[in-house]
């Protein structure tokens, strides 16, 4: 990295001056962000506290919740600050870090969703071998690969990007992404573009193909099964399918927004900019909380235990106070 670039300040030009639109987006984004944090942390606590949920599918879901928090927290606090601040800027080093964490969020989310599809495939297509295939050691290995390979690959991409000489210092977006930083360069980044294409093939196209093939196989097996088994398979796969389609559409819109120079209104421009890191992390825990019976039952039981424990403590405290009052009297 060119050392002088560490102290360079970049300016965002898509925010505009503080006004009604900015304040409205700020309030909506803040509410969604706080709800996202609450929903994901709640889901993680439920999975941790309920030992009946210590299964491969919920371990992957736990990691999906962590990934969602990484994605939203790497971007939204800075967006919220820029929406109401007069200076819409960011240090170059912070911009590079933002690019890295956004890319980690996107690639790891796809990888985790692919693992979840694999888990559903083994559960439905090879039910008798499930526990022999999805062992704790294998789950740890798969999660290690899911995090290690994307992080190392993306760190190299960010390194290539950070080595480019800069001749522009304005970004016409709400936050930093790799293409926006590359476009600030004075030279063409041919090797970086080729490397980026390879990453897209490995971390997007390959997982998408695997998920599609998995569900094609699940469909064939389900068609040969009984009606009750077919309904059970559909109920098991529905949350994952909704989550995967939702994230894929968000990714597609983000790619279209980043790659194509389309003339859009300011409102649509704002939505296209932030929905990729705003919507999926919020919807994923809500979808699984609503559609998955085990999680919804676990949440209900945990709340009931807390309420009963609180009621018991209040009664105990009241009895102690009554006994103290009688003894003093």
């Amino acid at each position: 990295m060119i050392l002088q670039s560490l102290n360079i300040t970049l300016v965002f030009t898509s925010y505009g001056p503080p006004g009604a639109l900015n304040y409205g987006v700020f309030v909506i984004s803040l509410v969604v962000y706080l709800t996202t944090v609450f929903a994901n942390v709640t889901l993680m606590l439920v999975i941790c506290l309920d030992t009946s949920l210590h299964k491969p599918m919920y371990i992957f879901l736990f990691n999906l919740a962590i990934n969602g928090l990484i994605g939203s927290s790497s971007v939204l606090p800075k967006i919220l600050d820029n929406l109401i601040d007069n200076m819409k800027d960011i240090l170059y080093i912070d911009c590079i870090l933002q690019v890295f964490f956004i890319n980690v969020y996107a690639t790891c989310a796809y990888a985790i969703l692919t693992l979840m599809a694999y888990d559903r495939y083994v559960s439905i297509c090879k039910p008798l071998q499930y526990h022999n295939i999805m062992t704790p050691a294998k789950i740890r290995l798969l999660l290690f690969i899911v995090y290690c390979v994307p992080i190392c690959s993306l760190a190299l991409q960010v390194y290539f990007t950070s080595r480019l000489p800069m001749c522009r210092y304005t970004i016409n977006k709400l936050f930093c992404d790799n293409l926006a930083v590359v476009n600030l360069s004075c030279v063409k980044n041919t090797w970086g573009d080729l490397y980026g294409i390879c990453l897209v093939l490995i971390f997007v196209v390959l997982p998408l193909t695997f998920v599609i093939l998995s569900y094609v196989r699940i469909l064939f097996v389900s068609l040969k099964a009984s009606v009750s088994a077919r309904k059970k398979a559909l109920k098991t796969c529905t949350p994952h399918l909704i989550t995967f389609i939702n994230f894929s559409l968000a990714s597609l819109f983000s790619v279209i927004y980043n790659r194509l120079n389309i003339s859009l209104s300011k409102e649509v421009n704002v939505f296209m900019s932030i929905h990729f890191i705003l919507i999926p992390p919020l919807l994923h825990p809500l979808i699984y909380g609503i559609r998955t019976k085990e999680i919804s039952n676990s949440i209900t039981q945990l709340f009931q235990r807390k309420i009963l424990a609180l009621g018991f403590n209040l009664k105990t405290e009241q009895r102690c106070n009554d006994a103290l009052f009688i003894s003093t009297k």
Side-chain angles (χ1 to χ4, degrees), residues 14-29 79-80 82-84 88 174 265-271 274:
S14 291
Y15 286 93
L21 177 61
N22 284 25
Y23 294 137
V25 174
F26 174 86
V27 172
I28 294 172
S29 300
I79 289 179
L80 292 172
N82 285 336
L83 283 169
I84 59 176
K88 328 292 185 179
L174 298 183
S265 65
K266 188 175 181 180
E267 292 79 6
V268 176
N269 185 30
V270 169
F271 175 75
I274 65 174

Side-chain angles (χ1 to χ4, degrees), residues 2 13 15 35 49 62 73 77 109 112 119 123 154 170 224 230 250 262-263 270 288 306:
I2 300 173
T13 60
Y15 286 93
T35 306
L49 295 175
F62 181 91
S73 298
I112 294 169
D119 177 81
S123 175
L154 294 168
T170 58
K224 297 177 182 178
R230 202 177 305 159
I262 304 175
S263 178
V270 169
Y288 273 93
K306 293 295 182 182

Side-chain angles (χ1 to χ4, degrees), residues 151-220:
I151 287 174
C152 293
S153 303
L154 294 168
L156 185 59
Q157 182 193 37
V158 169
Y159 172 76
F160 288 152
T161 300
S162 67
R163 296 288 297 177
L164 296 173
M166 297 173 59
C167 58
R168 288 177 289 274
Y169 305 96
T170 58
I171 299 176
N172 190 30
K173 293 181 180 179
L174 298 183
F175 58 89
C176 298
D177 60 59
N178 191 68
L179 183 61
V181 178
V182 169
N183 288 337
L184 300 177
S185 174
C186 311
V187 298
K188 187 170 178 59
N189 188 27
T190 304
W191 288 108
D193 291 340
L194 291 175
Y195 186 72
I197 292 172
C198 291
L199 291 182
V200 170
L201 291 175
I202 294 171
F203 295 120
V204 178
V205 177
L206 191 61
L208 180 62
T209 303
F210 182 85
V211 171
I212 292 173
L213 292 177
S214 297
Y215 275 104
V216 168
R217 179 61 180 162
I218 289 172
L219 179 62
F220 285 149

Side-chain angles (χ1 to χ4, degrees), residues 59-78:
I59 293 173
F60 297 147
L61 181 57
F62 181 91
N63 283 269
L64 188 65
I66 294 176
N67 185 68
L69 290 176
I70 291 173
S72 56
S73 298
S74 64
V75 176
L76 282 175
K78 185 60 180 175

Side-chain angles (χ1 to χ4, degrees), residues 228-248:
S228 60
R230 202 177 305 159
K231 289 182 179 179
K232 185 178 179 180
L234 179 62
K235 189 175 181 180
T236 302
C237 294
T238 297
H240 178 263
L241 267 176
I242 296 173
T243 303
F244 185 79
I245 292 171
N246 168 59
F247 188 77
S248 297

Side-chain angles (χ1 to χ4, degrees), residues 5-33:
S5 65
L6 289 173
N7 295 322
I8 287 176
T9 298
L10 304 177
V11 178
F12 296 105
T13 60
S14 291
Y15 286 93
L21 177 61
N22 284 25
Y23 294 137
V25 174
F26 174 86
V27 172
I28 294 172
S29 300
L30 179 61
V31 170
V32 172
Y33 177 60

Side-chain angles (χ1 to χ4, degrees), residues 293-306:
K293 188 175 181 180
E294 288 182 275
I295 290 180
S296 58
N297 288 343
S298 181
I299 292 174
T300 303
Q301 291 172 7
L302 286 173
F303 273 111
Q304 287 176 346
R305 286 181 208 163
K306 293 295 182 182

